[in-house]
Amino acid sequence: MSTEEKKFETQNLPTKTYFWPLKRYQDLYNSALTDSEGFWAKHSDVLSWEKPWEKVLDWNPPYARWFVGGKLNMSYQCVDRHAKSWRKSKVAIYWEGENGDTQTISYSDLYENVNRYASVLKKLGIGKGDRVTVYLPMIPEMVYILLACNRVGAIHNVIFSGFSSQSIADRVNDSGSKMVVTASGGHRRGKILPLKEIVDEAVKSTPSVEHVLVIKYTGYEVVMDPARDVWAHDMLKDADKYVAPEAMDSTDPLFILYTSGTTGKPKGILHGTGGYGVWACNTLKWAFKPTDESVFWCTADVGWITGHTYVVYAPLALGLTQVIYEGAPDYPSVDRWWEIIDKYGVSIFYTSPTAIRMFMRHGEELPAKHNLGTLEMLGSVGEPINPEAWEWYYKNIGHENCPISDTWWQTETGGFMITPCPGIQSFPLKPGSATLPLPGVDPVVVDAEGKELPANEIGFIAIRKPWPGIMLGIYNGDELYKKTYWSRFPGWYCPGDFSMKDSDGYLWLLGRADEVIKVAGHRISTAELEHALVGHSSVAEAAVASRPDEVKGEAIVVFVTLKKDVEASADVKRELTHHLRTAIGTIATPEEIIFVEKLPKTRSGKIMRRLLKAVANEVPIGDTTTLDDETSVNEARAAFDELL
Ligand code: WTA
């Protein structure tokens, strides 16, 4: 290794100047582009294939099918191959409940539980291709159930436990799920989330559901419908110890995960097996450089894509030890997470800018009370991280020893796309930039016509080639798939984010360019909120905008015109808030509701969203933007609006 390369290896400090070339990174990056077949042939080794694949990629735009002809099972990757090796006694999961309960789960425990749950699913008539909706808290059974679904070839459809009965019913119906798996309750800030009760309400209008499988948790009393509901602990008594993993085609679906787009209805993002698995494992290795000694902790809920890929699939397929924590970050006190890092000796810690900003508010004394010296790598995800939060994280959590992988990606991309990758080569970081694309990712920053922009100009990001983690499509939504992602810049994948490439080639991801907003990193569509609002008997018209929020990144601001005979009042505001929480879930809680006489519209009747946004922003809650050129964003937004 040359002295210059050595400098790279040790230098992780944020800096504006750095050494070029990034040899190891660039060699790998180039080989993924110039010899895609050879590159992915080599990197597909990260999984154990029951039948080797015949073709790396079948690219029939806009559909990409990876590792065609190959057969494999994801639960085999995550449990069998470890349970049969020296890793059988290795800890797979340190689980900690919000109330202080703990479990240490080895890979052989995991193997046993996944098999038994697979047997339960089979006995309840679940098999290959069936859809199973999962509405669970962050308990070990969440992992068992997902892997048990894989094992029998079923497609899981996880719904975050903050969503309402109505949202569950919509997703169950769209996916045609035969079963819903839930728990009697879950813990959240010392209270019980009545999950089974919420499901009971939902399944009143879901004719496809034959069974609700219930895991007893929290001691919360529930009512069981004998014709439909089944206790997991009863079924487990007679469960088989071993269920042979179903040999799935690499291109078979693994899961559906609903996410918000620009339409009023969430889209069921459908992911495949082989390509997704290869992408999940390699991206984790590249961005976080895990070893068998690592203790990995991704704080995301499995209800979101981050939890799917970086709590369930990648860490378990790689045989890592990880921490799963059930509850809120600030319960019973705001140093709960630092206590957990200290207790389990966490070495890789991956969380969101919203969490970091929340901790910043409470001061550096709290993390300082705990030993965070085991940390080696940090990560951030879900929304742009502002440089202040980045610096605070780097200094107070990483103690200036840990690089931060700011990972930019989406539900649709399956895994990280643009991120620092110390697992390939360390390079200097810039707070607020997700840095460089991973091998296989070919991004370009373009204007509204799809013309590549010069350095330092803000435009839209597009991806010019398919990568293994790309979704199979939208469940029940072929036309929507083509229109949403592929029609704007034909042939290229359009993520819908603003971006800028600086003169060093680093990419800055600057937030959504469409009507999707990110509240505490959670993805919500303004159309979905508006659709729900007009469903309320007092509302004539509704429009939703976002406002910057010091902690949550963005907050929801609602504009409504009321029906003739309805008086604007605090009561109506309360009712509308309640209505949104019931129609969508707690993540849809508005920050502010503004009653207006008329919504601003163009002559053709289109709501002038930029105007509403300007009004929503009139009451600034602090500067959270990472941009120094607001005007160009507005110009870019104007151009984007034209396209919509
Ligand atoms: C945003 C979450 C800036 C982005 C994994 C994207 C980010 C949307 C980052 C996808 C990041 C995610 N920097 N923005 N590091 N990570 N985003 O599907 O706007 O919930 O389009 O996936 O989150 O959200 P999703």
Side-chain angles (χ1 to χ4, degrees):
M1 195 186 282
S2 71
T3 340
E4 193 165 80
E5 266 189 281
K6 238 192 197 130
K7 239 182 215 162
F8 272 130
E9 289 301 305
T10 50
Q11 187 192 10
N12 290 314
L13 291 171
T15 168
K16 295 278 179 214
T17 55
Y18 52 87
F19 306 94
W20 208 257
L22 294 165
K23 184 139 181 14
R24 201 178 312 154
Y25 163 78
Q26 276 186 337
D27 285 351
L28 204 67
Y29 185 82
N30 292 341
S31 76
L33 284 191
T34 54
D35 174 25
S36 171
E37 297 263 322
F39 182 89
W40 290 115
K42 183 160 168 261
H43 285 81
S44 67
D45 270 5
V46 71
L47 300 181
S48 309
W49 297 81
E50 192 167 329
K51 177 174 170 278
W53 45 266
E54 284 146 25
K55 194 173 174 204
V56 167
L57 170 65
D58 190 351
W59 178 219
N60 187 9
Y63 297 98
R65 297 293 178 260
W66 286 84
F67 308 113
V68 181
K71 283 195 181 283
L72 76 166
N73 181 288
M74 277 311 281
S75 91
Y76 182 89
Q77 317 301 318
C78 297
V79 295
D80 301 53
R81 59 180 186 164
H82 307 310
K84 285 181 192 159
S85 79
W86 67 268
R87 287 198 185 94
K88 61 179 180 285
S89 51
K90 185 178 170 179
V91 174
I93 299 169
Y94 287 115
W95 177 80
E96 176 139 338
E98 192 185 75
N99 64 355
D101 286 352
T102 60
Q103 286 185 46
T104 300
I105 300 154
S106 68
Y107 273 98
S108 61
D109 299 334
L110 188 62
Y111 174 82
E112 194 182 306
N113 281 298
V114 170
N115 272 286
R116 292 174 72 220
Y117 269 102
S119 162
V120 169
L121 294 184
K122 271 185 102 169
K123 288 186 177 174
L124 291 169
I126 299 296
K128 193 169 175 178
D130 287 336
R131 277 82 62 215
V132 174
T133 290
V134 180
Y135 188 67
L136 284 173
M138 286 288 281
I139 53 179
E141 286 78 0
M142 174 70 110
V143 176
Y144 306 156
I145 290 288
L146 265 48
L147 297 179
C149 283
N150 301 168
R151 202 159 186 94
V152 303
I155 303 167
H156 59 73
N157 165 36
V158 180
I159 303 176
F160 174 62
S161 58
F163 281 111
S164 66
S165 300
Q166 186 57 54
S167 289
I168 299 171
D170 292 346
R171 287 156 163 83
V172 168
N173 287 332
D174 189 76
S175 64
S177 292
K178 248 170 113 171
M179 180 189 275
V180 179
V181 185
T182 190
S184 30
H187 297 116
R188 195 71 184 174
R189 289 203 177 84
K191 295 209 179 92
I192 304 285
L193 291 175
L195 301 174
K196 165 72 164 64
E197 268 172 31
I198 298 170
V199 168
D200 285 344
E201 190 56 36
V203 295
K204 282 182 184 160
S205 53
T206 56
S208 60
V209 174
E210 292 170 8
H211 293 290
V212 175
L213 180 65
V214 189
I215 290 151
K216 199 172 198 128
Y217 185 61
T218 68
Y220 191 77
E221 289 286 325
V222 297
V223 180
M224 298 290 277
D225 172 346
R228 187 197 63 204
D229 301 345
V230 193
W231 281 114
H233 59 266
D234 283 344
M235 293 293 297
L236 285 167
K237 281 185 207 142
D238 309 315
D240 296 330
K241 283 205 166 67
Y242 180 74
V243 172
E246 190 75 39
M248 303 300 282
D249 281 336
S250 170
T251 56
D252 274 340
L254 184 68
F255 63 84
I256 305 172
L257 181 59
Y258 285 84
T259 190
S260 296
T262 45
T263 56
K265 213 171 138 252
K267 305 177 289 232
I269 303 301
L270 187 68
H271 274 289
T273 308
Y276 171 82
V278 167
W279 191 244
C281 293
N282 282 293
T283 52
L284 178 59
K285 283 166 79 172
W286 290 332
F288 288 118
K289 209 181 177 178
T291 68
D292 256 315
E293 281 69 52
S294 303
V295 178
F296 179 76
W297 186 18
C298 164
T299 64
D301 193 291
V302 173
W304 310 107
I305 190 67
T306 309
H308 277 62
T309 308
Y310 300 107
V311 175
V312 181
Y313 291 109
L316 296 176
L318 293 174
L320 302 184
T321 295
Q322 70 171 319
V323 171
I324 297 183
Y325 168 59
E326 180 202 8
D330 52 355
Y331 189 84
S333 62
V334 194
D335 57 348
R336 182 75 188 261
W337 280 11
W338 316 134
E339 194 182 285
I340 291 175
I341 291 180
D342 190 346
K343 179 170 170 188
Y344 297 104
V346 171
S347 57
I348 307 172
F349 179 64
Y350 182 42
T351 194
S352 70
T354 290
I356 297 160
R357 289 189 294 259
M358 188 272 284
F359 292 125
M360 268 173 89
R361 269 194 163 180
H362 292 274
E364 54 217 51
E365 302 77 28
L366 286 175
K369 279 195 343 207
H370 301 276
N371 177 8
L372 306 182
T374 49
L375 288 172
E376 291 167 7
M377 301 275 163
L378 300 176
S380 169
V381 63
E383 47 185 320
I385 180 162
N386 47 314
E388 301 75 22
W390 196 104
E391 300 279 1
W392 189 90
Y393 193 28
Y394 185 72
K395 196 163 157 239
N396 296 292
I397 308 304
H399 296 147
E400 304 189 8
N401 288 321
C402 309
I404 299 177
S405 289
D406 174 3
T407 63
W408 176 84
W409 60 297
Q410 307 179 297
T411 305
E412 294 87 337
T413 70
F416 310 147
M417 297 291 278
I418 299 172
T419 173
C421 41
I424 301 172
Q425 175 174 1
S426 296
F427 47 76
L429 308 174
K430 301 188 192 188
S433 166
T435 73
L436 301 171
L438 287 178
V441 177
D442 184 19
V444 61
V445 178
V446 295
D447 66 13
E449 275 76 50
K451 205 168 100 277
E452 185 161 1
L453 286 168
N456 299 317
E457 284 193 27
I458 295 173
F460 314 105
I461 189 157
I463 315 285
R464 292 179 287 204
K465 286 194 168 61
W467 62 96
I470 190 172
M471 69 193 130
L472 294 179
I474 295 178
Y475 195 73
N476 289 333
D478 267 349
E479 283 315 305
L480 191 62
Y481 173 68
K482 289 180 195 152
K483 183 167 169 278
T484 313
Y485 306 107
W486 302 94
S487 64
R488 217 155 274 167
F489 309 120
W492 296 351
Y493 171 75
C494 176
D497 274 31
F498 283 128
S499 180
M500 183 197 84
K501 197 187 221 177
D502 69 17
S503 26
D504 293 324
Y506 277 37
L507 286 151
W508 298 72
L509 283 309
L510 304 170
R512 299 290 305 195
D514 53 14
E515 293 310 323
V516 169
I517 55 184
K518 279 252 147 173
V519 181
H522 301 151
R523 189 165 155 179
I524 307 173
S525 101
T526 52
E528 215 177 307
L529 293 160
E530 288 161 5
H531 179 75
L533 284 161
V534 294
H536 189 275
S537 57
S538 304
V539 175
E541 278 190 306
V544 173
S546 71
R547 163 200 293 171
D549 184 276
E550 209 173 87
V551 174
K552 292 184 285 187
E554 286 185 280
I556 300 168
V557 181
V558 165
F559 295 85
V560 281
T561 61
L562 293 172
K563 288 204 175 133
K564 261 204 198 99
D565 45 346
V566 184
E567 281 281 315
S569 70
D571 277 349
V572 178
K573 280 192 186 177
R574 266 193 296 276
E575 240 180 67
L576 292 182
T577 300
H578 176 73
H579 177 73
L580 282 175
R581 291 167 67 104
T582 316
I584 300 174
T586 44
I587 65 163
T589 309
E591 182 75 18
E592 192 170 347
I593 297 176
I594 300 173
F595 296 121
V596 288
E597 286 295 311
K598 240 168 68 185
L599 291 175
K601 290 196 183 157
T602 59
R603 249 178 267 165
S604 61
K606 250 179 126 179
I607 294 172
M608 293 166 80
R609 299 189 169 278
R610 266 175 297 135
L611 212 70
L612 289 178
K613 203 168 166 87
V615 177
N617 288 314
E618 236 179 37
V619 200
I621 309 186
D623 182 21
T624 56
T625 173
T626 55
L627 299 173
D628 39 32
D629 190 358
E630 209 34 76
T631 347
S632 45
V633 178
N634 284 337
E635 274 163 21
R637 183 173 286 280
F640 206 86
D641 282 353
E642 303 290 305
L643 289 175
L644 293 172

